[in-house]
Amino acid sequence: MTNAVLPAFADAQAFRAWRSDPLRWLPIAVDIARSHGLDGRAQVFSTGTNLVVGFGEKLILKIFPPLLRAQFVSERGSLTQLAGRLDLPIPEIVAEGERDGWPYLIITRLAGALGSEVWPSLPEAQKERVLRQIGETIAAVQRAPLGPLAQIEPRWDAFMRKQMQGCRARHERLGLAPKFLAGLDDLLRDAAKLIPMDASPVILIGEYIPENFLLACHDGDWSLAGLFDFGDVRAGWRDYDLLGPSAFMAAGRPGRVRSLLEGFGYSKLDYALKRRLMALMLLHQASDLNSHICIEGWQERADDLVALQDLIWAE
């Protein structure tokens, strides 16, 4: 057993700097794995937020710093709550524990190609097919009962109100063009009416993006093969989870937009839905339009937020 100790960190920046050098923490991860009978070559995953190490082809160890304990609670609760409730594979919890105040999970490793590596080269028809499956997957997750995930803080209404209060300052700081900032007050006024604050909440993953999907090809057709990373789950209004695939994958292509929304269960794309999605996109926990909208030249192609919502959710 190693004598090394997982340290305490005052903030996320200090943790990230320490995390960037696996030589500092990999021996502890290997020691934790061995204490659960795991062996084999350790593979460090450099992406993501926490300490993530693969052991062989079957298992992954995720170690969460105390300052991100909420992510451990979210991941553990989500994997437990969704177990056996989806057609799409998700990781299974094999073991859990704590070392030096750092909680950890040992979970099964899913098979497939990482979505972010495959997605750019897929033919258009395959992209529409996958987006329809993503819409269906979001709907399936949201049909699962909340269970203990209902207790995750902040609750939806408090979260939304805080996001609304800080929305203008956030997007000014991130450099959103003045022509879009000009319409922000009108959009936030609409948002208060369009976004349900007290509707029955559902499980929100928050990040249906290519980095969190696995894809597989059978007889020339690409399909979703797995979903992982449940560290940012919250409970709230269902449309919130359409934002990741809308921004990162649909790219304003009418066929892709239609496939995503139809898979989710929306047959009609009207002004109210576009307006609500635009508001939610600006209010999302990770919102940064300049970095996240994957439509070439969108800043020049839209003159205001109304034109932008028509561009993103094109019909």
Side-chain angles (χ1 to χ4, degrees), residues 66-186:
L67 56 86
L68 296 178
R69 181 174 284 271
Q71 291 202 357
F72 166 77
V73 172
S74 173
E75 180 110 15
R76 181 182 181 276
S78 301
L79 293 178
T80 302
Q81 196 62 18
L82 293 172
R85 289 193 164 102
L86 302 178
D87 293 332
L88 188 68
I90 62 172
E92 297 175 18
I93 298 174
V94 174
E96 62 181 275
E98 195 164 296
R99 173 75 67 93
D100 304 322
W102 293 50
Y104 62 81
L105 293 170
I106 297 174
I107 57 177
T108 54
R109 188 169 182 172
L110 304 177
L114 193 61
S116 53
E117 296 175 359
V118 176
W119 177 258
S121 62
L122 291 186
E124 192 63 23
Q126 296 290 310
K127 288 182 174 176
E128 291 181 11
R129 171 188 166 86
V130 169
L131 275 164
R132 183 176 295 275
Q133 293 176 351
I134 290 173
E136 292 167 350
T137 298
I138 297 171
V141 168
Q142 295 183 355
R143 284 193 294 272
L146 273 170
L149 297 175
Q151 307 306 316
I152 288 180
E153 297 286 351
R155 304 297 172 91
W156 176 251
D157 57 344
F159 168 66
M160 269 292 112
R161 290 191 179 96
K162 182 181 178 185
Q163 294 301 102
M164 288 179 183
Q165 289 167 4
C167 185
R168 175 171 289 277
R170 176 189 183 91
H171 291 290
E172 285 177 349
R173 175 172 55 82
L174 291 171
L176 188 63
K179 64 181 178 179
F180 300 124
L181 289 170
L184 206 50
D185 291 340
D186 288 340

Side-chain angles (χ1 to χ4, degrees), residues 157-297:
D157 57 344
F159 168 66
M160 269 292 112
R161 290 191 179 96
K162 182 181 178 185
Q163 294 301 102
M164 288 179 183
Q165 289 167 4
C167 185
R168 175 171 289 277
R170 176 189 183 91
H171 291 290
E172 285 177 349
R173 175 172 55 82
L174 291 171
L176 188 63
K179 64 181 178 179
F180 300 124
L181 289 170
L184 206 50
D185 291 340
D186 288 340
L187 184 67
L188 292 174
R189 214 166 19 248
D190 289 350
K193 304 188 203 85
L194 289 169
I195 300 171
M197 296 294 183
D198 53 3
S200 296
V202 298
I203 298 174
L204 300 175
I205 303 299
E207 291 190 313
Y208 285 95
I209 55 177
E211 288 80 1
N212 294 343
F213 285 117
L214 293 170
L215 299 175
C217 188
H218 299 288
D219 297 326
D221 281 330
W222 284 90
S223 299
L224 287 184
L227 173 65
F228 61 95
D229 195 350
F230 297 86
D232 293 311
V233 165
R234 68 174 67 251
W237 176 246
R238 62 197 303 257
D239 291 2
Y240 187 80
D241 267 349
L242 291 169
L243 305 179
S246 292
F248 289 95
M249 303 174 80
R253 304 284 187 95
R256 295 191 207 175
V257 172
R258 186 168 56 251
S259 295
L260 171 66
L261 295 177
E262 286 180 356
F264 183 67
Y266 282 149
S267 57
K268 183 182 175 189
L269 180 58
D270 57 16
Y271 177 85
L273 178 55
K274 290 183 185 181
R275 193 70 168 160
R276 183 162 66 240
L277 291 172
M278 189 73 251
L280 285 167
M281 185 170 282
L282 284 154
L283 295 168
H284 193 281
Q285 181 178 355
S287 181
D288 181 359
L289 269 58
N290 289 333
S291 297
H292 295 166
I293 296 178
C294 296
I295 301 174
E296 193 169 346

